Structures are given as structure tokens and as C-alpha cells.
Amino acid sequence: MNKFKASLPLLMILSGVIFSLFLLSLVPDHLYFSGDGGLKALLAQQIADGNLRFDLNLQVAEWVQSIWNDGLYPFEPPFSYKINDLYYITFPFTFPLITAPFYAIFGYRGFYIIPLISTWIIWFNFHRLCHAFNIEKIITLIGLAILIFASPLTMYSAIYWEHTLAVCLAFSGLVNIFINQEKNLHKLSAIVSGILISLSVWFRPEFLALVATFIILVIASYVIKFEFINIVKYNKLIFLSSLILTVICFFACNKIIYDHPLGAHAFQVVENFSIPERLLKSYKFFNVLKDNLLKYFPILYFVIGISVTAIFRANLRLKSEIIQILVVSGLFMLFVPILIPSDGGKQWGSRFLLFLIPLITIIAISNLEKIWKIKRFGIRYFVTGILAMLFVLGFNLNTLQGMENVYQKDKQENLEVLKFLNQDSHEFVAVANQYVGQIFPSTFTKKIFFLTKKVDDISKLGLALHQQGEKKFIYICPVYDSCFSKNPIPNKIELTNNEEKLIIQIQKIQENGRFRIEEASIFKG
């Protein structure tokens, strides 16, 4: 019986693995949850093909490159920036770099190996942390159920995004600190913990907030002798050195590649920096992130409740390590809005705060054993009933609705356009919005994309194609662009080329709920 009880958390992790693999089975080949996944895939494919450079070096003819440089490049800020006459995606080079070998070996599905395994490691580390905190196996089982099925984290396991990897690295470093906290954190563990936490910055810049949190807490622990800030109790200097040096190495790589220590991320956050404006944006982002965290992870309400109760009830006081996790979570929550360029865009829950999910979960279950021992007035049944209700809400939102919204929504319409582009013979594709090119990166091997946001851009493209002897191109307008309804492009565009009158005639080929595809024909007027 004891062996079965001890194996229950591992069985829950196994069920999570099976569920995440099921989520992966819902992902169609060559489609991505978000457009930036397509950009990262393009760079990863480039690296996998042996072109080891970190700018997006799409192989095109010189005349195509010329009109790209003249404003028709398929991507634009804040997703792509031109630096020293080279085009870079705004995301760190690291994730495409480490996923490229898996793509080279396994093809498209290889992109998902790292996000999946990273998620599994987070669950396993959560189990290790519960064991280190002497949390009962049944309560650990409850915590894992919350983490796997009632939080937004699992929805990211089968998305080509670096978030689960960054959370995995940072959480692994944090778990390593807590596991060795009372065992005299030896030098090697201190180094490994610092490196793991800082490596998360290599993939997600908002994890600079975690690095800053630890720097502040460790330095403060030399001066203020409060237990709740004394997280790293031994070999503090060694830990800080590994933490800071790993980040400095990342800054050095960025300086070499992007000519800026913060990389392309700097163009989103640091360029034209104004302290008042930044603080105003940070306040706005903080509120949006907080609201999203509460909405998509309702267990947070339970954590707030038990944290407040612990202040007034001596028998429900939180353990020192749980208070330390609360302090880390709070500081991380405060610092992240200062560093991020937006509130997250297309996402499921607050992707910038995914690191908080396992921390909030461990806080939520930390006092369950104490609560269950309270027999007066049916308090234990009332409290566990609230937790169960919040779990059901989280399960319905993240597992049931999450599967539909993250893995099924818009899939059919996107597949129709992908199929059309793969079968269509036209080489040139004009798009009204850069997201179209980001959604279908696999077609870049056969098609050449141009961003044509205005009628003048279409005229410019038509003239360039006419000069190359080309007569036709495809125009794609997505539903989220004004061209779909408010300001559709005219069916007939007239232009002049060295006193030669040209006409671009546009007619619809097909349309679904998300895209309208039209054929543009160029002929003399």
C-alpha cells in the first residue's frame, strides 16, 4: 500500500506526459500557434541546412532583395529589425540554435522535443521539491494534478516556443537551491544553480527579473538577518558569480551578433527609452498580467486566502521556505512588467509569468496537511471544497477550453491556405499583414513573400515583377487586417512605367473565415 501511495505522484506525471503527447498529436504539420513561432522555425531551418548565421538570410534573387530593402520585406518591427543591412528576428538566437539539430534529424516534429521534455522536467522537479519540503504523497499528487491539468503551463508543452525551456531552467536552479538549503549548498551546487537560473535569460529576457531578484536578496542577506530573504545560505559569493557571469556571457554574445548587449530585444524596450513612459507601461502591463494570472490560474485565489490567513492564525503559519518562495514570486511579479515589450499578445494565460505557476502551486498545497487536521466547524471540508471548486474551474479553462482554443481554433482555415500555397504554381505572394508570412513559413522554400500594406506597395511590386517579365502574383488578405472588410484593395490598379501604362487586375480565387486569396494579373493598358 505504501509503495502504491509513493508511486501516485509518478503516475500523475506519466498521465501528464501522455496528455502532452496527445496535445502534440493535435498540431498539424508546418503550422504554429503564433507567428513568432514561424519566424523562429525559419531561422532554425536555416541553421539546420548548414547556414550557421543568426540573421534571417532568405535566399532570393538580387532584384527581390532590392525591393525588400525598398520596404516590401515580408516582416517588420516589432518582429524583425534591420541591423547593419541584415535582417534579424527580434527573438534570441538561442532557441532556434538548439532546436535546429532536432529539426535536421526528425523534421518538423523535432521542433517540439525541447518544449515537451522541458515541461516534463518541470513536473519532475516539482515532485522533487515536494519531497524536499516533506509534503505528503497524496498532497503532492494534488499539487501535480493542479500543475498539469488546472494551469496554463501544460498548454505550452506542444507549442514551438521557448517558454517551457526557460521556466524549466529557472525552476531547476531554484529547486536545486531549496533541496540543498539545509545540507550546506556546496560549491558545485551553487555554481550549477546560478548557471541554470541565468541560462533562462538566454531564452527569455524577462528572466532578468529573476536574476535581479536573487542579486537583491543575496546582497540584502549580508546586511539584514531575516530568514525570509536568506534563501542562499552558503557559498553566496560563488552563486552570485556564476549567476552574473552567465548573464554577462549572454550580453557578450548579443553584442557580437546584434551590436547591442540586450540583442534585438533592446529595439523593443530600450530604444527611445523614457523613464516616465516606461513606468506608465509597466503599471499597465502589471495589471494585465495580474488579471490574466487570476483568470487562467484560479488556484491563485486560494493562495491569497491561505497567505492572508497565515498572518493571523499561528497554527497555519507558513514554513520559512514557503515564505521565501512568496518573496521570490512577488519580486519577480513586480520586476517583469518593467522588462517586457507588451502584455503578451497571442497567448494562453500570462506567458511572461509561467515561472510563477509551479511556485504558486507549491504554496497552495503547503498548508493542506495542517488544514486537514482542523476538525472544528467542518473547516477542513469547507477549505478543501473551495480548492476542489477552483481546481474544476482551472481544469475546465485550461484543459478543456485550452485544447479547443490553443490547438483547434482556426486550424481548418489555416490548413486550407497552407494546402493552397503548397499546390499553387504562383511563385510570388503579396500579403497585407506580416502575420500571414509568419503563419506559413514552410512555403518560403517555394514562394517569395512581399509585405504590401498599401495600394502603393502593390503597385511597386507589380512594377518590379513586370520589369522581370512576370505576369501574375497572389495577394492574401487576413481577416484581422482592414483590407478584409473596411478598406479592400480595388479590383483594378493603374500605374505608369516610363510612359508605359500598366494595369493590375485583381480577382478573388477563394475565401474562408480567416483569409481571402486573390490573383493579381499584370498587363499593358
Side-chain angles (χ1 to χ4, degrees), residues 29-42:
D29 283 351
H30 306 297
L31 286 180
Y32 302 87
F33 169 69
S34 70
D36 52 353
L39 284 173
K40 292 164 194 170
L42 278 174

Side-chain angles (χ1 to χ4, degrees), residues 26-278:
L26 299 178
V27 179
D29 283 351
H30 306 297
L31 286 180
Y32 302 87
F33 169 69
S34 70
D36 52 353
L39 284 173
K40 292 164 194 170
L42 278 174
L43 183 56
Q45 290 166 5
Q46 173 182 300
I47 295 170
D49 290 338
N51 189 0
L52 190 57
R53 49 191 293 175
F54 300 116
D55 63 302
L56 194 55
N57 184 30
L58 301 172
Q59 301 295 312
V60 293
E62 188 175 335
W63 69 269
V64 173
Q65 191 69 54
S66 177
I67 57 173
W68 276 359
N69 293 338
D70 197 27
L72 300 190
Y73 188 68
F75 312 117
E76 62 179 352
F79 295 98
S80 174
Y81 290 91
K82 193 174 184 181
I83 307 171
N84 298 328
D85 292 326
L86 300 174
Y87 292 101
Y88 291 88
I89 64 173
T90 191
F91 315 101
F93 66 92
T94 45
F95 190 61
L97 179 64
I98 66 167
T99 54
F102 295 100
Y103 173 78
I105 297 170
F106 301 105
Y108 172 76
R109 295 288 157 178
F111 280 143
Y112 295 89
I113 291 175
I114 287 179
L116 276 170
I117 293 177
S118 298
T119 309
W120 301 343
I121 293 173
I122 293 168
W123 299 338
F124 182 70
N125 275 331
F126 181 88
H127 178 233
R128 290 175 64 218
L129 189 59
C130 289
H131 180 73
F133 287 173
N134 296 314
I135 295 175
E136 283 283 328
K137 297 298 181 185
I138 295 297
I139 296 176
T140 299
L141 177 72
I142 293 170
L144 283 167
I146 291 169
L147 187 62
I148 295 170
F149 294 107
S151 84
L153 182 64
T154 305
M155 286 300 106
Y156 288 83
S157 63
I159 293 176
Y160 182 57
W161 239 345
E162 67 278 6
H163 290 281
T164 57
L165 174 58
V167 173
C168 173
L169 290 167
F171 188 56
S172 296
L174 186 68
V175 169
N176 194 50
I177 290 171
F178 278 110
I179 285 177
N180 294 285
Q181 199 175 50
E182 301 301 330
K183 301 177 184 177
N184 188 355
L185 184 69
H186 53 79
K187 293 179 181 178
L188 181 59
S189 289
I191 292 170
V192 170
S193 297
I195 290 173
L196 285 172
I197 291 170
S198 287
L199 276 178
S200 63
V201 177
W202 286 61
F203 297 93
R204 290 300 317 171
E206 68 268 15
F207 278 86
L208 281 169
L210 187 62
V211 171
T213 295
F214 272 101
I215 291 173
I216 291 169
L217 291 176
V218 172
I219 292 175
S221 69
Y222 281 106
V223 182
I224 307 170
K225 302 304 179 183
F226 289 142
E227 183 66 20
F228 69 85
I229 63 172
N230 194 25
I231 298 175
V232 182
K233 297 183 178 180
Y234 308 99
N235 293 308
K236 298 180 182 183
L237 190 58
I238 291 174
F239 169 77
L240 272 185
S241 299
S242 65
L243 188 78
I244 294 170
L245 285 173
T246 305
V247 172
I248 289 174
C249 289
F250 178 56
F251 288 167
C253 291
N254 281 336
K255 180 64 178 174
I256 293 169
I257 296 170
Y258 304 101
D259 198 29
H260 196 290
L262 293 180
H265 180 72
F267 293 92
Q268 290 181 292
V269 178
V270 179
E271 196 177 55
N272 301 320
F273 184 79
S274 163
I275 292 178
E277 184 180 344
R278 189 68 233 170

